[in-house]
Amino acid sequence: MATDFGDESGEKLFDWMLRVGQEAGQEALAKSAKGLAEAIRSTCAGIEKKRSGDVAAKTAEWAKLSMREFEDLPEYETLADMISSQLKKEGVEHAFTNEGGKRFLVFKANEAPSVA
């Protein structure tokens, strides 16, 4: 394909464009992976904080977890499907809901350790 340009400079241009695309893809992948790790860490910390919180949190039947940390990540719907699949496999009753333009994961409060 690079020879379609008719000279060596065309091949160099093609190689450069390919390398730039690969580097951009690597950077995007690293950024997404870092964002996912941070979202998971933050979410788990939020669950732990709520679990060790006041008496009212301990008596609540249902818990609601904001998905804000995940919504900005690429392929959010795929991540939500993966989370849901894993929770189903663990036997955690759950649902995703929208309230006031924000998305939440709703689950039984006593299953918080399985969600974390």
Side-chain angles (χ1 to χ4, degrees):
M1 182 173 175
T3 57
D4 291 346
F5 292 106
D7 61 11
E8 218 174 287
S9 63
E11 185 173 340
K12 288 181 181 183
L13 176 62
F14 179 79
D15 289 343
W16 174 81
M17 289 171 44
L18 186 61
R19 193 171 51 254
V20 167
Q22 289 172 336
E23 289 173 5
Q26 289 172 349
E27 287 177 26
L29 179 62
K31 183 179 177 183
S32 292
K34 182 180 177 184
L36 177 59
E38 289 174 3
I40 291 171
R41 225 177 280 116
S42 175
T43 301
C44 288
I47 291 171
E48 289 299 319
K49 187 176 179 182
K50 287 178 185 175
R51 216 172 58 180
S52 64
D54 63 335
V55 175
K58 291 179 183 176
T59 60
E61 187 175 342
W62 292 91
K64 180 169 69 172
L65 182 65
S66 172
M67 297 302 292
R68 181 184 52 83
E69 299 280 344
F70 294 91
E71 288 177 332
D72 294 335
L73 297 173
E75 299 295 326
Y76 168 74
E77 289 302 323
T78 302
L79 291 171
D81 289 343
M82 290 169 56
I83 291 168
S84 185
S85 294
Q86 186 62 35
L87 291 175
K88 283 179 187 173
K89 193 163 82 172
E90 295 288 325
V92 175
E93 187 177 346
H94 68 283
F96 288 96
T97 184
N98 293 316
E99 291 181 20
K102 297 178 184 175
R103 193 151 187 206
F104 294 93
L105 172 64
V106 180
F107 54 93
K108 288 191 174 185
N110 63 350
E111 294 179 327
S114 297
V115 174

